[in-house]
Amino acid sequence: MITNAIQVTGLHKAYGHIKALDGIDVTVQEGEIFGLLGANGAGKSTLINVLIGTLASDSGSAEVLGFDPRKQRRQLRPQVGYMPQHQALYEDLSARDNIRFFARAQPIDNLEQRLDEVIEFMGLTDRQHDPVYGYSGGMEQRVSLACALVHKPRLLFLDEPSTGVDPKLRESLWGHFRELVKQGVTIVVSTHQMDEALHCDRVCVMRNGEILACDSPRDLLARGKVEVTIWKDGQAQTQTVTNYAKELPQLLGVDSAISKIEIHEDTLEDVVLRLINKGKHHA
Amino acid sequence: MLNQTSAVTVRVLKQLSHDRRFVGLSLIVPVFVIYLLWIFFDAVERPFFNVETFVPPVAAFIVHFLTYVLCAIVLVRERSTHTLVRMFVSGYDRVSIIGGYLVAYSLLATLQSLIVLVMLNSLFELNYDMGTFVSMFVVIWLLAIISIALGIFVSNFARNEGQVFPFIPLVIMPSIFFSGMIMSVDLLPNWAAPLSYLTPMFYANEVIQSIISTGGNSMFMVGLIAYGGVILVLAIFTLRE
């Protein structure tokens, strides 16, 4: 039975005259990877901060794993992991000491064994005793993720986890995320990288505190279009087609005057940018 | 809660052990300042203050000043590096965070208080007996602990290290002018005298004077402890995620 890990209804949060969240309604199912996609300032981090209880909303309701994230944060936090946008690590301590410190916030049996497991999972074994200030950005990201995972949370919040990370490490991180989902963890990840959204089960597109669309990447892509430009007699003619497999032969006919054909198929980025630039759509 | 407090304490002590310069300066600076004070009194033929009643509270003030300033930036740094938010989301509570810092820095404060008192007794040839020495140590140590709590309380109101600096004179100047260290509180105008109760140096000075002379009032030890309790509670309640 699929249950909702997160249920948000009519959430509002303003900073002065800036509406960071403007009537957000969203649900996240248990066991899915849910993406929050949008430009800087869209409200992604604000939504995450409300859901982890560090920020109170102005109105509306939020339920995370059955708890009010603000009023019941003591009960909620043992079940939630959080990887912040900034590294939030003690750079003068080693990776192992950092992870141990954040682990000790919760009672964990066989703590040192658990540290060994999570350090190995994140590929940090060789340098676990070195101070973090000597790490590359990618290694720091891995330590940050390890700190979020060490107490085996049911729900994981990742705030732009692959910012500043090279493609190879990004792929490695997503491999870890998929492994966690197989173990039953629900993941909420915020990103402004369109190609990352393709890894998610569902993506929520945000702009100026509003949700523009909330759908699987495939269904979002299906909203896209294909433009076909045909050069004929030195002139270009562009047409938008929805099913070019069917329509293209008609367009082409049997016409020897056609010198060139160009097909542009919308990527997910094109669909999202069009949504953002057009304004609010009903999800 | 005890587990969390000890985790914070261990972490802070580990960080201090990696920052030997910080620890060294925390211990050497008060020694240097006491030495400067001794040079001053040694050079002045007729000192305008009685050395025996003036110097001990000044030594206590030096410990108060240093521990307050050092601790005022502590939680600000946690906030600016976002580790404070991470602590809260991981499950640490306010009492454990502040308690952990208090325990960790109190070890440093203990060393500071001991070194200052030994320097004082030796340089100024005060010849304290064991009872007086222990009593003086307890007062200075308590003042140092309260100064840690005061520094943590103040750091809750600053968003970055730069914002901490205006708070320094706001706490330290009343300690100088309203504590009775330079002139008796009785000589202050009526409107200013109650301000003495807002600074921990006032209570500490009263107790120190009662130990080393016929002046002062030892009952202010209760006031000093109560002041520390109030500041600690305020520090805990004003710590926000």
Side-chain angles (χ1 to χ4, degrees):
Chain A
M1 186 181 79
I2 297 172
T3 54
N4 290 334
I6 297 172
Q7 178 87 44
V8 171
T9 309
L11 212 61
H12 288 265
K13 177 67 187 176
Y15 297 108
H17 64 277
I18 297 173
K19 291 181 185 174
L21 298 175
D22 192 10
I24 300 285
D25 296 299
V26 73
T27 59
V28 177
Q29 293 165 0
E30 280 205 40
E32 73 172 337
I33 303 181
F34 187 84
L36 294 172
L37 189 63
N40 293 332
K44 307 186 299 292
S45 294
T46 302
L47 180 57
I48 287 180
N49 283 327
V50 170
L51 295 176
I52 59 173
T54 57
L55 197 61
S57 61
D58 296 331
S59 64
S61 70
E63 200 174 89
V64 180
L65 298 177
F67 297 106
D68 183 313
R70 189 71 180 163
K71 292 177 186 162
Q72 296 174 296
R73 49 191 191 265
R74 189 183 285 256
Q75 296 93 314
L76 174 64
R77 279 171 178 174
Q79 306 186 57
V80 164
Y82 171 55
M83 181 179 168
Q85 196 174 348
H86 308 277
Q87 301 305 15
L89 299 169
Y90 298 101
E91 297 212 330
D92 48 350
L93 297 181
S94 68
R96 194 176 181 93
D97 285 341
N98 266 281
I99 301 165
R100 182 189 292 111
F101 172 68
F102 290 111
R104 285 189 67 185
Q106 305 294 337
I108 296 178
D109 295 330
N110 302 315
L111 176 60
E112 295 302 313
Q113 186 182 330
R114 178 60 189 151
L115 291 180
D116 291 335
E117 283 170 10
V118 79
I119 284 169
E120 192 182 333
F121 181 71
M122 296 310 306
L124 294 165
T125 308
D126 289 343
R127 295 196 60 194
Q128 58 178 298
H129 297 295
D130 294 341
V132 169
Y133 63 71
Y135 285 11
S136 64
M139 285 193 71
E140 285 190 3
Q141 291 285 68
R142 281 191 255 160
V143 177
S144 183
L145 181 57
C147 292
L149 293 177
V150 69
H151 58 287
K152 294 186 182 176
R154 281 175 59 195
L155 172 58
L156 196 54
F157 290 98
L158 309 170
D159 199 346
E160 301 195 17
S162 44
T163 300
V165 163
D166 63 64
K168 189 180 169 190
L169 177 61
R170 197 189 304 171
E171 193 52 44
S172 168
L173 283 175
W174 276 98
H176 289 309
F177 300 158
R178 282 190 286 272
E179 194 55 47
L180 289 167
V181 169
K182 281 184 197 168
Q183 294 170 16
V185 177
T186 306
I187 296 180
V188 174
V189 55
S190 88
T191 182
H192 53 259
Q193 315 252 6
M194 303 299 170
D195 57 335
E196 286 199 318
L198 292 170
H199 293 287
C200 301
D201 296 312
R202 282 193 305 143
V203 173
C204 175
V205 182
M206 292 182 72
R207 187 193 79 145
N208 294 338
E210 296 170 333
I211 290 178
L212 303 178
C214 196
D215 224 330
S216 68
R218 186 177 174 178
D219 290 339
L220 273 179
L221 263 173
R223 299 186 189 199
K225 58 185 183 185
V226 179
E227 279 182 356
V228 177
T229 304
I230 299 173
W231 273 264
K232 189 174 165 182
D233 297 328
Q235 285 188 334
Q237 205 179 21
T238 303
Q239 284 196 34
T240 301
V241 299
T242 50
N243 187 345
Y244 67 82
K246 254 189 180 173
E247 297 175 53
L248 201 57
Q250 285 174 359
L251 280 173
L252 294 176
V254 182
D255 197 334
S256 58
I258 294 173
S259 60
K260 187 175 159 186
I261 299 174
E262 223 173 68
I263 298 175
H264 172 82
E265 192 169 359
D266 272 353
T267 61
L268 184 62
E269 181 166 358
D270 294 326
V271 174
V272 170
L273 283 174
R274 193 174 303 119
L275 276 169
I276 290 171
N277 290 330
K278 203 190 264 183
K280 186 172 181 179
H281 276 234
H282 294 287
Chain B
M1 189 186 293
L2 274 177
N3 183 45
Q4 288 189 353
T5 305
S6 74
V8 175
T9 301
V10 166
R11 188 212 89 211
V12 172
L13 286 175
K14 227 171 225 182
Q15 288 180 286
L16 285 174
S17 74
H18 292 150
D19 195 350
R20 289 184 192 136
R21 185 176 296 184
F22 174 86
V23 174
L25 285 171
S26 305
L27 298 176
I28 289 169
V29 167
V31 167
F32 181 67
V33 174
I34 298 280
Y35 183 67
L36 283 179
L37 197 64
W38 176 76
I39 289 176
F40 171 76
F41 274 98
D42 195 47
V44 175
E45 270 194 23
R46 286 186 191 173
F48 43 89
F49 287 115
N50 180 334
V51 169
E52 286 175 4
T53 56
F54 176 71
V55 168
V58 169
F61 170 78
I62 292 166
V63 173
H64 162 60
F65 177 78
L66 274 172
T67 47
Y68 164 69
V69 169
L70 291 173
C71 294
I73 61 170
V74 149
L75 278 172
V76 175
R77 195 176 299 148
E78 292 262 13
R79 200 182 294 281
S80 63
T81 57
H82 306 276
T83 48
L84 186 64
V85 168
R86 189 164 213 153
M87 274 205 281
F88 277 119
V89 180
S90 298
Y92 281 101
D93 60 53
R94 294 183 288 190
V95 174
S96 304
I97 292 170
I98 289 180
Y101 267 103
L102 206 62
V103 172
Y105 276 93
S106 67
L107 295 177
L108 193 61
T110 303
L111 276 174
Q112 263 186 348
S113 305
L114 197 59
I115 288 172
V116 159
L117 204 48
V118 166
M119 273 282 293
L120 197 74
N121 195 34
S122 149
L123 272 180
F124 288 91
E125 296 174 355
L126 296 172
N127 300 316
Y128 290 147
D129 58 48
M130 183 54 73
T132 304
F133 188 92
V134 170
S135 301
M136 290 286 284
F137 173 76
V138 169
V139 178
I140 295 176
W141 179 81
L142 209 51
L143 180 65
I145 302 300
I146 292 167
S147 303
I148 295 170
L150 195 53
I152 293 173
F153 170 56
V154 161
S155 70
N156 289 342
F157 299 98
R159 282 274 162 259
N160 53 58
E161 282 94 327
Q163 289 178 6
V164 171
F165 289 108
F167 283 104
I168 294 174
L170 195 64
V171 168
I172 295 303
M173 298 313 285
S175 291
I176 295 173
F177 295 120
F178 299 125
S179 63
M181 216 168 50
I182 295 177
M183 64 185 226
S184 170
V185 171
D186 296 333
L187 296 175
L188 291 171
N190 290 340
W191 65 265
L195 294 174
S196 303
Y197 293 100
L198 297 178
T199 168
M201 264 309 300
F202 166 70
Y203 304 94
N205 184 48
E206 287 288 326
V207 178
I208 288 171
Q209 296 303 326
S210 73
I211 294 170
I212 59 178
S213 68
T214 53
N217 188 337
S218 61
M219 289 307 293
F220 277 96
M221 184 63 125
V222 175
L224 185 63
I225 295 170
Y227 183 97
V230 167
I231 288 296
L232 193 58
V233 168
L234 285 174
I236 289 169
F237 276 101
T238 54
L239 181 61
R240 289 154 294 136
E241 292 190 14

